[in-house]
Amino acid sequence: MQLLKILTPLVTASLLATAAPLVQAQNQGDDSVLEMQQAFRKGDRKRLEQLLPAVRGHVLEPWAAYWELKARLTEASPQEVQAFLQRYAGTYQEDRLRNDWLLLQGQRREWSQFAEHHPHYRMSDDREVRCYALLIEQLTGVASSGLADDVRRHWYGLREADDGCTQAASQLFAGKRFAALDVWRKARLAVEANRPRVARSAVEIVAPELLAQLKDLQDNPLKFLQARAASRGALRQELALLALIKIAATDAEAAASQLDNRWDILLTSEERNWAWGVIGKQAAQRLSPDAMAYFARVTRDSDLNDDLLGWKVRAALRAGQWKAVPKAVDAMGDEARKDSTWVYWKARALLAGKPTEPERAEARKLLEGIASTHGFYEQLALEELGQRITPPAAPTPLTPAEKAVARANPALQRGLYAIGLGLRTEGVREWNYATNLHSPGGMGDRELLAAADLACQREVWDRCINTSERTRSVTDVSQRFPMPFRSTVVERSQGIGLDPAYVYGLIRQESRFIMDARSGVGASGLMQVMPATARWTAKKIGLTSFTPEQITDRDTNITIGTAYLKLALDDFAGSMPMAAAAYNAGPGRPRSWRNGPLLDAAIWAENVPFHETRDYVKKVLANTTNYAAILTGLPQSLKSRLGTVGPRDMAALDVNKDLP
């Protein structure tokens, strides 16, 4: 025993001496990796080449090698690319580089190289790559019957100008597999989204002689319409429709006036319906009471796309015109009709008024098809069926062997290491690829639970939540709805009269519990507080010693964030949907969005004009209901948290009119 006491310090010192160079080398490798990321972002190819040897053997070597080759990919040889793919076979970086290489070969029209690599491309999530593959099918005469539909879907789904889908569309149009209307509809979508380059590329396919007129139209659509004689002609009609769409984007009434006074009788029924659909959508986004009157001018819902039909449903809900809802939903495409949003509202519409027994039966079947605790409309469907929100039973506990497999997964380890090093974007991509079904040995539910558990244990909460959310047959609420910093959140919330479940529901949506999260507009921390909001709130609650840099401190962030949320909740008379909207979009917008009829808050939330805020409000409230069920152990109601929303005398009742 005495000898052991003598030897132990010596052995320990020896081990530390041996480990020190390894730790130092790893730290130096970390520094080199970080420097390489910065060099990659700057396009500094020389520095990337110099640093790469220092990263050999590092856990993030695949990223370093990817950056170095990607930076010079346009000059790399096929042999260099193949060597990289072989060395890093099975990794995210292999598939990422293959994606980049496929795009490059498509742009170069190197179809043999493209065809060689495409079968090995696992992610298959790049629309342009898919369009190049479909283009090859068209060029080689082996196209399937669904090729045109595939190209159309991918082309319409791209908001920015691209080469692959545009070339595929051009070939299909030349081969008479695309009608002129297919191409003009792409131009319509581009003009509405204010994407002039995309519109130009579409018009160049179908009517290149009109490009000069298209520019005039985009520059001044009203002047363009007024300068054209009101005469018939397919090309003139399509340009007139593009001009009307452009006008409607900023002034729905002016577009409606032009359509009524001149162009209505000159357009085809399909063009006219599309024009009224766009005008109706723009009016609906401005919460105008005229929206349904515009949509009523549409004589055939099937002439509208899913986006326009969605806005028709929203306008009908806001106007209380329930009969219009099922018709619009039924006109949507297969995928949209299955969306829980439209399934729920169709069911509610069928139950409105005095439903027949067949209508009741159909509504019940629709609700049963989506009812669960997983989302906003899924929870509302449960309640329509007479049930409440309770946490699902916990899955069978993970075994030590299942956890060990997750810990041994090199891609998961790389992802966690990158995140820990501050390379969050790279780490998240690596992690998502590792847990994706398209990756080698794609994960089933048990593997996903084990991966989520690994992320939870490392307190990488966003990967814990997002990974667990992807399980299909089981639900682990402890992973999907974790409660980090519980004592601080609960004590602070209850101390100022806030429901802790509401705070957790908001944090989960704002930051996924990432303490150093920072948004593109400068919001920081767990509760994503803007600097100006932090200063205003600190002053409001008497936090006199507050300085801007404190907002990244966990406890200070929670203190400021919960205080601001409470002020917003008080300002909107306890309305959780409106306070959540104010937290996301600022209080001024919800004040204007509440004007109009008294609405079920679910209808109000669905009519929020901003997609981000609309989605945010629904997710925060669904999160809140789940957290309440977990925290209290009692069945919960989402409907009770929604209530109604309507106008009020803002000057008399707003208690915090100066909310920033």
Side-chain angles (χ1 to χ4, degrees), residues 58-66 81 83-99 120-123 409-412 414-415 426 429-435 438-441:
H58 190 279
V59 65
L60 298 184
E61 178 191 331
W63 274 111
Y66 170 78
V81 170
F84 178 96
L85 299 177
Q86 290 175 349
R87 177 165 183 161
Y88 302 105
T91 66
Y92 168 79
Q93 293 75 19
E94 175 217 356
D95 218 33
R96 180 78 267 160
L97 190 80
R98 181 174 279 110
N99 191 156
H120 306 289
Y121 176 45
R122 292 183 295 272
M123 282 185 287
N409 186 306
L412 295 181
R414 272 197 303 273
E426 290 81 0
R429 288 177 179 175
E430 180 105 41
W431 181 278
N432 290 349
Y433 179 79
T435 55
H438 297 299
S439 63

Side-chain angles (χ1 to χ4, degrees), residues 339-342 344-345 367 369-384 387-392 469 471 475 477 480-481 505 508-509 512 602 605-606 614-627 636-639 641-642:
D339 187 291
S340 61
T341 304
W342 311 127
Y344 175 79
W345 287 119
L367 293 169
I370 64 170
S372 77
T373 63
H374 291 170
F376 185 79
Y377 286 114
E378 291 82 353
Q379 291 180 6
L380 288 178
L382 270 179
E383 295 202 54
E384 290 293 332
Q387 301 175 49
R388 289 291 184 267
I389 290 80
T390 57
E469 280 187 326
T471 59
T475 299
V477 293
R480 294 193 184 198
F481 298 95
R508 184 181 187 273
Q509 187 58 26
R512 285 289 199 265
E606 191 55 51
R614 182 167 63 251
D615 185 62
Y616 178 90
V617 169
K618 291 186 288 187
K619 286 182 176 176
V620 167
L621 269 293
N623 290 346
T624 298
T625 309
N626 276 314
Y627 272 117
Q636 297 294 312
S637 168
L638 171 57
K639 282 189 173 184
R641 290 176 166 80
L642 290 172

Side-chain angles (χ1 to χ4, degrees), residues 161-173:
D162 80 306
D163 178 65
C165 292
T166 301
Q167 286 300 317
S170 180
Q171 285 292 327
L172 288 172
F173 179 69

Side-chain angles (χ1 to χ4, degrees), residues 572 578-579 581-583 585-595 604 645:
F572 290 107
M578 294 193 70
Y583 201 96
R589 293 186 176 99
R591 288 187 187 127
S592 65
W593 295 340
R594 75 183 306 164
N595 294 327
W604 179 84
V645 174

Side-chain angles (χ1 to χ4, degrees), residues 304-307 309 328-339 342:
L304 307 184
N305 66 1
D306 291 342
D307 179 52
L309 289 166
V329 173
D330 288 345
M332 293 177 178
D334 291 343
E335 187 175 346
R337 283 201 309 274
K338 295 174 185 176
D339 187 291
W342 311 127

